[in-house]
Amino acid sequence: MTPEEVAFQDRIDRNEKIEPKEWMPDGYRKTLIRQIGQHAHSEIVGQLPEGNWITRAPTLERKAILLAKVQDEAGHGLYLYSAAETLGVSRDELLEALHAGKMKYSSIFNYPTLTWADMGAVGWLVDGAAIMNQVPLQRTSYGPYSRAMIRICKEESFHQRQGYDIMMKMCAGTPEQKAMAQDALNRFWYPALMMFGPSDKDSVHSAQSMAWRIKMNTNDELRQKFVDQTVPQAKFLGLTVPDPDLQWNEEKGGHDFSEPDWSEFYAVLAGNGPCNAERLGARVKAWDDGAWFREGLMAHAAKHSGGRVAAE
Amino acid sequence: MTPEEVAFQDRIDRNEKIEPKEWMPDGYRKTLIRQIGQHAHSEIVGQLPEGNWITRAPTLERKAILLAKVQDEAGHGLYLYSAAETLGVSRDELLEALHAGKMKYSSIFNYPTLTWADMGAVGWLVDGAAIMNQVPLQRTSYGPYSRAMIRICKEESFHQRQGYDIMMKMCAGTPEQKAMAQDALNRFWYPALMMFGPSDKDSVHSAQSMAWRIKMNTNDELRQKFVDQTVPQAKFLGLTVPDPDLQWNEEKGGHDFSEPDWSEFYAVLAGNGPCNAERLGARVKAWDDGAWFREGLMAHAAKHSGGRVAAE
Amino acid sequence: QPEFTEWLQRVGDNCLILGHRLSEWCGHGPALEEDIAIANQSLDLIGQCQLWLGLAAEVEGRGRSADDLAYLRDVLAFRNVVLVERPNGDFGQTLMRQFLFDAFHLELLRGLESSTDARVADIASKAVKEVAYHLERSADLVIRLGDGTADSHARMQKALDLLFPYTGEMFADDATDRAMANAGIAPLPSTLKPAWDAVVAEVLTAASLTHPGEVWQHGTTGTGGGKRGIHSEHLGYLLAEMQFLQRAYPGATW
Amino acid sequence: QPEFTEWLQRVGDNCLILGHRLSEWCGHGPALEEDIAIANQSLDLIGQCQLWLGLAAEVEGRGRSADDLAYLRDVLAFRNVVLVERPNGDFGQTLMRQFLFDAFHLELLRGLESSTDARVADIASKAVKEVAYHLERSADLVIRLGDGTADSHARMQKALDLLFPYTGEMFADDATDRAMANAGIAPLPSTLKPAWDAVVAEVLTAASLTHPGEVWQHGTTGTGGGKRGIHSEHLGYLLAEMQFLQRAYPGATW
């Protein structure tokens, strides 16, 4: 390590926040750009599975709640792209990388939402898993990222409660509704467990990120925490977690549970999930279809930049 | 009249059929092309209002019946374009004129189909009015047209019965269904009366067409016949014809009835019906979207015209 | 009373159907900021629809709820103008539809603030602030896109020409409207036209768009028009989607 | 018995959903002849679906009808392969989907002609003639368009690449399939693959299209796949439209 790097690591170890204009190692910057960018992409791609049910929400109130939620996700995307921009990469560059398939988004969004119960399961399990990841990141070393996370976490926990509320209504509803809820849990349980990523005990990459306080916990720690939190919630709903080997382990003070099928994880990551083509296709189409709109606004701003403040 | 014209008119007056290769006056040819072309266009544009309910038909049997009916209309289009082609105009030329707005189709198809009862009303009233026009045309002077009409009339009367059958089911059904049926009659009654065109007592054009046996009855005759046929059918259904002045006139042996709003007729004709833009737009889009398909087939046929019989 | 219910459904259905159309954009907008803004307007409109249809159900007095009206009426019972059920088209068409409606909507709500019915006045004074902002935004975007690139100009002109024939219905008075005006509940729609004309003319000029002039107006003659329940073919599809769960699982709680 | 009902729904739902998709083209085809031909195939498939779902309802013995199965099941209860619910796309995608399915469908029906269940054999021997003609037609068009213009070639290749990952599900055996095979009711799907492979290879060669090779196949691993009721997001929209009247007016006669 160079003296600069040592000093940088000391600041991190003292829990100081790193701010945009300050010196940082190249690797730190690059890792953050990748991580924040992927997170931002996940927010906007994550609009799609839930967006799929906005026009079919069963009541006006549910429609409004879901729409507000999906809108919040777009807002989270905004915060995060802004945080990434402080590291010297523009939103358009990040989007270009997404559209070209060079940057990823969370694989969970490559699963379809097939019934209204999925709106519950996504809120409960997917937002639940996301929060598990994000809460510690409020204390991450990079200032703008940390502040974005603080705003996002507040809203996410609200979303998770809304999701759980949908599940409660479904489970207290008709037999068909209860069956839908169980089916949604069956389909989203393992994909939710996959959200924490494969076990990272042997990953050098993870170790460096943890030293930099970009990653705050191991994937396995978070997964365990998620299972321990979620299992009693499922019980409360009267639903069965689709894992015959799930049981409480008194000794370790947590549940034993089955690993997800990691070959499925890698398949989805490689582009072979049920909805990869549709999700990326929808984003690319929105971008391409909107080109004339963005260009129109820029042209107008350019024409009038003398007289009035540029609009973009 | 030239001697040729006199001889031609004599043949017509003797009820002889005129065949494609035979001499005919230019006006006869032109009028026929316009009339047969418009009729052909009406068949294919007429697919759209009923096509609008194929994917929402209430039972598998109704779906099959409706689909078969709309398919028949495409078939009628084919017969009629073929009949027109014997007069020296190609199907593509006729379609081009349709798409450019230079040729018309029956204005009735510029009204929307809003409920399933409209599938009944269209069959009963629109096909009913069409048959009223077409039955006499089986005896028209131009051979290919007459033969096309004979084939078409057979199917049309079948369609009309199917439409009436839908109305019967609706009228014998729930109060909501009966209300839908009444609403459909309310919306389609006057447009159906308009299908015969304005009174043609003063039209020279009509007189010539009648002399040529291209037009067999006056518009008013056909309209009267339609009303007299339809009113008892409505009564049988328990529906009210939306005309407070409708009543039986013993003296003339027919019903007195209110004229439709001819200003509406001319507005729709001028392109201002509720669906003009949509109907023509749908046809143009189908044609444009299908260009690559037609060109692909032609290119293939050209490549293989040596070895195998051209496919088109 | 039946006229009041009828009229409340007109106001509420406009919000419901336009709000629904806007919600179709969610996740597919041309820029993140637009995605958020459109969702916001959709939310405002759905919120207003809950109030208007809630009041409609209350006035009707048959024990129905706003949700019952939204999810259990079939197409002939809807009372929105055809303009708001027009398909989204490209984003320019969505914005133009929004502008043409917002300009009407704002005038209407301003008029309703002094309604003799306190409940109507209450809802209006809540909604008027939201809608003033909608209009500000849609007018601004129409101007910027009309006066943007040649392409954006052409798209906005096309959108205008396409949608303008559906604006007349908003200002066509009928018996229901007259009953509301006589009771002092609502302004006569035709009285809102001069103010709307002025806003539209001003914005179109700033946008360098050509006013379509006196063109045919759907739903203002004969028996048609969404206010009288005669819609376009698009509404049925919208409802089939929107109402699916309530129709498929009658009586369930969500 | 439950396996038999389940299996009959798979066969019937394939016909229903593909027939429905084809019917969406009616009035919008690229040429009049195509419009008619596609409607014809749609009619054949809907007719077959009535027989298969009718038998499914009979075997189930709960007093339901083919219409009940078509119109009153929600998305999780449908058993068609995901391939047939794929959106129509351009006409090339519709034709490619049709070809890939027809080639499977014909092999299946040939196998079913010697079913130990006489009712199954009866339906199959009626349907096999129709489907032989479907395949003849779709294969011919795939060849002509693949070997047509550069544009038509590119579209067909794109359609093939897009749809091929959904073909594996047709040949994936599961417990239901094995139960049917053991009872002699139906051939094991995987046994139909060699014949399908041969037809596909031959037609793609004649069409000068590139076989996608061993690509990922959806619904063949894990828990997904339409045969097990895990569909794409497209099916829900299709059903909302298709089932609207039966859902909105329960118990009515049409």
Side-chain angles (χ1 to χ4, degrees):
Chain A
M1 284 211 279
T2 64
E4 264 176 326
E5 283 169 352
V6 172
F8 181 80
Q9 188 62 50
D10 281 350
R11 293 189 58 198
I12 296 212
D13 294 343
R14 285 195 305 272
N15 280 338
E16 280 181 31
K17 290 281 181 260
I18 311 300
E19 294 299 335
K21 299 281 158 74
E22 298 172 346
W23 186 88
M24 60 186 78
D26 243 30
Y28 179 84
R29 182 185 303 273
K30 277 189 189 148
T31 307
L32 267 177
I33 287 176
R34 189 169 49 80
Q35 185 170 331
I36 300 175
Q38 278 188 199
H39 189 166
H41 296 332
S42 297
E43 295 286 353
I44 62 165
V45 176
Q47 290 185 272
L48 300 172
E50 289 176 290
N52 185 43
W53 281 88
I54 290 173
T55 58
R56 291 178 290 174
T59 68
L60 294 169
E61 197 191 344
R62 286 289 174 203
K63 191 191 201 75
I65 291 172
L66 182 60
L67 184 53
K69 182 191 167 178
V70 180
Q71 186 196 30
D72 282 347
E73 286 160 8
H76 298 174
L78 264 189
Y79 306 159
L80 289 161
Y81 286 121
S82 300
E85 281 178 333
T86 64
L87 293 160
V89 60
S90 73
R91 194 207 300 181
D92 284 6
E93 287 172 300
L94 289 170
L95 287 175
E96 205 173 293
L98 169 68
H99 298 159
K102 287 178 192 153
M103 281 183 85
K104 300 283 182 195
Y105 53 87
S106 178
S107 273
I108 190 77
F109 301 120
N110 291 315
Y111 289 86
T113 56
L114 300 178
T115 74
W116 176 253
D118 290 5
M119 298 302 97
V122 167
W124 172 35
L125 302 174
V126 176
D127 290 341
I131 293 169
M132 210 55 88
N133 257 321
Q134 290 164 8
V135 163
L137 284 174
Q138 294 178 100
R139 296 176 286 108
T140 188
S141 60
Y142 187 58
Y145 190 24
S146 157
R147 291 187 289 274
M149 275 303 148
I150 291 168
R151 292 176 73 177
I152 289 172
C153 279
K154 229 177 276 172
E155 296 181 353
E156 288 286 11
S157 68
F158 190 58
H159 293 166
Q160 200 210 0
R161 277 205 303 279
Q162 290 170 340
Y164 195 70
D165 183 57
I166 290 176
M167 291 308 269
M168 288 212 290
K169 280 278 194 307
M170 300 290 283
C171 290
T174 65
E176 288 106 322
Q177 286 178 299
K178 178 95 186 259
M180 272 189 235
Q182 180 65 56
D183 166 75
L185 173 57
N186 294 349
R187 281 183 291 108
F188 279 100
W189 173 256
Y190 286 109
L193 295 191
M194 292 179 201
M195 284 179 71
F196 301 98
S199 182
D200 50 5
K201 44 184 173 281
D202 310 317
S203 161
V204 182
H205 198 276
S206 289
Q208 176 62 77
S209 283
M210 290 184 77
W212 277 336
R213 296 179 67 82
I214 291 175
K215 187 177 168 73
M216 310 296 284
N217 303 81
T218 70
N219 296 348
D220 288 327
E221 275 166 27
L222 293 170
R223 184 162 27 242
Q224 180 70 51
K225 225 175 142 185
F226 174 75
V227 171
D228 293 338
Q229 171 186 296
T230 307
V231 167
Q233 293 172 342
K235 230 168 251 167
F236 183 78
L237 291 169
L239 296 178
T240 308
V241 172
D243 177 358
D245 298 327
L246 181 80
Q247 58 178 357
W248 178 254
N249 181 330
E250 190 59 51
E251 200 177 332
K252 80 173 183 189
H255 292 82
D256 292 333
F257 58 93
S258 303
E259 285 286 302
D261 175 359
W262 290 109
S263 71
E264 179 177 317
F265 175 79
Y266 289 111
V268 175
L269 207 64
N272 292 320
C275 300
N276 294 58
E278 251 117 353
R279 298 296 185 233
L280 195 55
R283 288 309 315 162
V284 170
K285 182 173 189 309
W287 187 252
D288 291 348
D289 287 355
W292 74 271
F293 172 88
R294 297 187 302 273
E295 285 157 15
L297 292 194
M298 282 188 292
H300 180 85
K303 282 189 213 178
H304 296 264
S305 57
R308 57 186 261 186
V309 177
E312 277 289 296
Chain B
M1 282 212 278
T2 63
E4 264 176 326
E5 283 167 355
V6 171
F8 180 81
Q9 189 61 50
D10 282 351
R11 293 188 59 198
I12 295 209
D13 294 343
R14 287 195 303 272
N15 280 337
E16 280 181 29
K17 291 280 180 261
I18 311 299
E19 294 299 334
K21 298 281 157 73
E22 297 171 349
W23 185 89
M24 59 187 79
D26 243 30
Y28 179 84
R29 185 186 300 274
K30 276 188 191 148
T31 308
L32 267 177
I33 288 177
R34 190 170 49 80
Q35 184 171 330
I36 300 175
Q38 278 188 198
H39 188 166
H41 297 331
S42 297
E43 294 287 354
I44 62 165
V45 176
Q47 291 185 271
L48 300 172
E50 290 176 290
N52 185 41
W53 281 89
I54 290 173
T55 58
R56 291 178 290 175
T59 67
L60 294 169
E61 198 191 342
R62 286 289 174 203
K63 192 191 202 74
I65 291 171
L66 182 60
L67 183 54
K69 183 192 168 178
V70 180
Q71 185 195 31
D72 282 346
E73 287 160 7
H76 297 175
L78 264 190
Y79 307 160
L80 288 161
Y81 286 121
S82 299
E85 280 178 336
T86 63
L87 293 160
V89 60
S90 74
R91 194 207 300 182
D92 284 8
E93 287 172 301
L94 290 171
L95 287 174
E96 206 174 293
L98 170 69
H99 299 159
K102 287 177 193 157
M103 281 184 82
K104 300 282 181 196
Y105 53 88
S106 178
S107 273
I108 189 77
F109 301 121
N110 292 315
Y111 289 87
T113 55
L114 300 178
T115 74
W116 176 252
D118 289 5
M119 297 303 98
V122 167
W124 172 36
L125 301 173
V126 176
D127 290 340
I131 292 168
M132 209 57 85
N133 257 321
Q134 290 164 7
V135 163
L137 284 173
Q138 295 178 99
R139 296 175 285 109
T140 188
S141 61
Y142 187 58
Y145 190 24
S146 157
R147 291 187 289 274
M149 276 301 147
I150 290 168
R151 292 177 73 177
I152 290 172
C153 280
K154 227 176 278 172
E155 296 180 353
E156 288 286 11
S157 67
F158 191 58
H159 294 165
Q160 200 210 1
R161 278 205 302 280
Q162 290 171 341
Y164 195 71
D165 183 58
I166 290 177
M167 293 307 270
M168 288 211 290
K169 279 279 194 307
M170 301 290 284
C171 291
T174 65
E176 289 106 321
Q177 285 177 299
K178 179 96 187 258
M180 273 190 233
Q182 179 65 55
D183 166 75
L185 173 58
N186 293 349
R187 281 183 289 108
F188 279 99
W189 173 256
Y190 286 109
L193 295 191
M194 292 180 201
M195 283 178 71
F196 301 97
S199 183
D200 50 3
K201 41 185 176 280
D202 309 320
S203 162
V204 181
H205 198 277
S206 289
Q208 176 60 78
S209 283
M210 288 184 78
W212 278 336
R213 297 179 64 81
I214 290 175
K215 188 177 168 76
M216 312 294 286
N217 304 81
T218 70
N219 296 347
D220 289 326
E221 277 166 26
L222 293 170
R223 186 166 19 248
Q224 181 70 51
K225 224 174 142 188
F226 174 76
V227 170
D228 292 340
Q229 171 186 294
T230 307
V231 167
Q233 294 172 341
K235 230 168 252 167
F236 183 78
L237 291 170
L239 296 178
T240 308
V241 172
D243 177 358
D245 297 327
L246 181 80
Q247 58 178 358
W248 179 253
N249 180 329
E250 191 59 50
E251 199 176 333
K252 80 171 182 189
H255 292 82
D256 292 333
F257 58 93
S258 303
E259 285 286 304
D261 175 358
W262 289 109
S263 72
E264 179 176 318
F265 174 80
Y266 290 111
V268 175
L269 208 64
N272 293 320
C275 300
N276 295 58
E278 252 119 353
R279 299 294 185 237
L280 194 56
R283 288 308 315 164
V284 170
K285 183 174 190 302
W287 186 251
D288 292 348
D289 287 355
W292 73 271
F293 172 87
R294 297 187 302 273
E295 285 157 17
L297 292 194
M298 281 189 292
H300 180 84
K303 280 190 214 177
H304 295 265
S305 57
R308 57 186 259 185
V309 177
E312 277 289 292
Chain C
Q1 223 62 339
E3 278 102 351
F4 194 15
T5 310
E6 174 85 5
W7 177 84
L8 284 164
Q9 289 181 59
R10 291 180 180 180
V11 187
D13 287 346
N14 281 340
C15 296
L16 173 60
I17 301 301
L18 186 56
H20 184 97
R21 280 284 186 230
L22 291 182
S23 80
E24 293 173 356
W25 274 107
C26 190
H28 306 275
L32 219 35
E33 289 81 358
E34 290 313 311
D35 219 304
I36 294 170
I38 286 285
N40 243 325
Q41 288 176 53
S42 176
L43 277 168
D44 287 345
L45 290 167
I46 291 165
Q48 292 169 25
C49 137
Q50 287 179 286
L51 299 174
W52 291 122
L53 292 185
L55 183 52
E58 184 187 322
V59 171
E60 184 190 47
R62 284 172 47 199
R64 297 203 288 181
S65 67
D67 278 339
D68 290 339
L69 290 177
Y71 291 96
L72 298 177
R73 281 178 300 161
D74 199 354
V75 65
L76 296 173
F78 273 77
R79 291 293 177 265
N80 58 282
V81 293
V82 170
L83 176 66
V84 300
E85 75 199 39
R86 295 290 309 169
N88 283 335
D90 68 16
F91 203 70
Q93 289 176 25
T94 293
L95 284 172
M96 185 59 76
R97 182 185 63 196
Q98 195 64 32
F99 165 64
L100 296 170
F101 181 77
D102 287 344
F104 156 79
H105 200 192
L106 184 62
E107 290 307 321
L108 173 65
L109 291 170
R110 280 181 182 154
L112 295 178
E113 284 187 287
S114 51
S115 172
T116 53
D117 187 290
R119 297 164 300 183
V120 169
D122 266 7
I123 298 175
S125 66
K126 180 188 175 301
V128 77
K129 296 181 203 84
E130 295 170 350
V131 170
Y133 181 65
H134 296 181
L135 176 59
E136 198 179 299
R137 205 182 154 277
S138 62
D140 179 54
L141 282 169
V142 165
I143 292 171
R144 287 155 71 190
L145 292 166
D147 182 25
T149 60
D151 184 21
S152 74
H153 175 84
R155 283 172 185 261
M156 296 312 285
Q157 185 67 51
K158 189 181 159 199
L160 177 63
D161 295 341
L162 191 73
L163 295 168
F164 202 76
Y166 296 93
T167 56
E169 194 193 350
M170 300 189 288
F171 306 103
D173 304 333
D174 70 0
T176 301
D177 294 316
R178 280 185 286 271
M180 290 302 100
N182 290 340
I185 293 175
L188 209 53
S190 57
T191 63
L192 307 173
K193 184 98 187 324
W196 183 84
D197 278 336
V199 171
V200 167
E202 188 195 325
V203 169
L204 294 187
T205 302
S208 63
L209 293 171
T210 306
H211 194 294
E214 293 293 317
V215 299
W216 179 264
Q217 291 294 341
H218 292 290
T220 56
T221 58
T223 53
K227 285 166 75 172
R228 288 176 284 189
I230 310 300
H231 294 275
S232 68
E233 289 175 355
H234 303 291
L235 188 59
Y237 290 96
L238 185 156
L239 296 182
E241 192 173 313
M242 182 173 94
Q243 299 180 336
F244 179 75
L245 284 173
Q246 286 285 350
R247 299 292 198 181
Y249 301 95
T253 305
W254 304 95
Chain D
Q1 225 58 344
E3 278 101 350
F4 194 15
T5 311
E6 174 85 6
W7 178 83
L8 285 164
Q9 290 182 60
R10 291 180 180 181
V11 186
D13 287 346
N14 281 341
C15 296
L16 173 61
I17 301 302
L18 186 56
H20 184 96
R21 280 285 185 230
L22 292 182
S23 81
E24 294 173 356
W25 275 107
C26 190
H28 306 276
L32 218 37
E33 289 80 357
E34 290 313 313
D35 219 303
I36 293 170
I38 286 285
N40 242 326
Q41 288 176 54
S42 176
L43 277 168
D44 287 345
L45 289 167
I46 291 165
Q48 292 169 24
C49 139
Q50 287 179 285
L51 299 173
W52 291 121
L53 292 185
L55 183 53
E58 184 188 322
V59 171
E60 184 190 47
R62 284 172 46 199
R64 298 202 286 181
S65 67
D67 277 339
D68 290 339
L69 290 177
Y71 290 96
L72 298 177
R73 281 178 301 160
D74 199 354
V75 65
L76 295 174
F78 272 78
R79 291 294 178 266
N80 58 281
V81 294
V82 169
L83 176 66
V84 300
E85 75 199 40
R86 296 289 309 170
N88 284 336
D90 68 16
F91 203 70
Q93 288 175 27
T94 294
L95 285 172
M96 185 58 78
R97 182 185 63 197
Q98 195 63 33
F99 165 65
L100 295 170
F101 181 76
D102 287 344
F104 156 79
H105 200 192
L106 184 61
E107 289 307 322
L108 173 65
L109 291 171
R110 281 183 179 154
L112 296 178
E113 284 188 285
S114 51
S115 173
T116 54
D117 187 289
R119 298 165 299 184
V120 169
D122 266 6
I123 299 175
S125 66
K126 181 187 176 300
V128 78
K129 295 181 204 82
E130 295 170 350
V131 170
Y133 181 65
H134 296 181
L135 177 59
E136 199 181 297
R137 204 181 155 278
S138 62
D140 179 54
L141 282 169
V142 165
I143 292 170
R144 287 155 71 190
L145 293 165
D147 183 27
T149 60
D151 184 20
S152 74
H153 175 84
R155 283 173 185 260
M156 296 314 283
Q157 184 68 51
K158 188 180 160 201
L160 177 64
D161 295 342
L162 191 73
L163 296 168
F164 202 76
Y166 296 94
T167 55
E169 195 193 349
M170 299 189 287
F171 306 103
D173 304 332
D174 70 0
T176 300
D177 293 316
R178 279 184 286 272
M180 289 301 100
N182 289 339
I185 292 175
L188 208 53
S190 58
T191 63
L192 307 174
K193 183 99 187 325
W196 183 83
D197 278 336
V199 171
V200 168
E202 188 196 324
V203 168
L204 294 187
T205 302
S208 64
L209 292 171
T210 306
H211 193 296
E214 293 293 317
V215 299
W216 179 263
Q217 291 294 341
H218 292 290
T220 56
T221 58
T223 52
K227 285 166 75 172
R228 288 175 285 190
I230 309 301
H231 294 274
S232 69
E233 289 175 354
H234 302 291
L235 187 60
Y237 291 95
L238 185 156
L239 296 182
E241 192 173 314
M242 182 173 94
Q243 299 180 335
F244 178 74
L245 285 173
Q246 285 286 350
R247 300 291 197 181
Y249 301 95
T253 304
W254 304 93

